[in-house]
Amino acid sequence: MPKILFAAGPALWADYRAALAAAFAEAGIKATITPETTTPAEIDYIIYAPASPLTDFTAFTRCKAVLNLWAGVEKFVHNPTLTQPLARMVNPELTESMVEYVVGHTLRHHLQMADYPQDGVWRNHLLPPLARERPVTVLGLGALGQAAARALAQLNFPVTGWSRTPRTLPGISCLSGDTGLGQALATAQILILLLPLTADTTNLMNADRLTRLPRGAVILNPGRGALIDDDALLAALATGQIGQATLDVFRTEPLPPDHPYWAHPNVTVTPHIAADTRPASAARVIAENIRRGEAGAPLLYPVDRARGY
């Protein structure tokens, strides 16, 4: 019977305790789950979240895998004491939530909803283009990026996707590499950031790359806060190079009350709600990975330490 440490903090333990028990029962797994331990050498699996107080994995000598509750692992993937296999979280509800967020805010900007204030002025000259006339670019074609790109293409948006390495997706114009990035930005009237955060993607959208977008372009960032150089974005908003931005993720969270984004007329702040992990579906992913670990099968969603995701 595997022994599992829930090292994601007491608040999440309250949310996940019943969900994990139900998922393990459904998967036919008999296990002991504990939110704390004095015998790390007896732990077989660690359920983890980056806010956990656990930062030294050295004593967990029997641990077969660390299973992250979040999609992102950038905050701890390079921890030198973390030598155990590591899996990130991918689950249908997280993907579904992200697709709804991306589609909803893309349509809000596409339909120019901010141009219709409720002030008694009849602005019927502000007719938005059709979706097929509004090119959209998605940077990042992992599970979330692919799902968002497909959903937008189904609404008739011309969608370009960019990834570090070449990919092929039906109905999506796929680009890769440095040259491909420039091409992807050049047509993006709406730019959606769904990249992982790595050394290569930090400040990817800097002052230079923001100038490569069509003037007045819209940016949606539900990916990682540090993908954008904040000062460069504010400067581009001031000149009109960037028309509007919807931002869900930030370098510091919660976003400080005095941050310029809050008061900016062309910025919409949402509080990191685009794709939160939901206990019931996440628990089933955790249970399946433990079942696989016990059967000697490959883990779902393993992290490549060299790439950082």
Side-chain angles (χ1 to χ4, degrees), residues 64-85:
K64 301 173 185 177
V66 175
L67 309 173
N68 195 36
L69 287 177
W70 296 1
V73 296
E74 66 274 2
K75 292 183 179 180
F76 64 97
V77 66
H78 298 302
N79 182 331
T81 70
L82 178 55
T83 58
Q84 297 87 348

Side-chain angles (χ1 to χ4, degrees), residues 37-61:
T37 183
T38 57
T39 55
E42 296 180 1
I43 296 296
D44 295 291
Y45 299 92
I46 298 174
I47 300 171
Y48 195 73
S52 170
L54 174 60
T55 58
D56 188 345
F57 296 84
T58 306
F60 294 89
T61 53

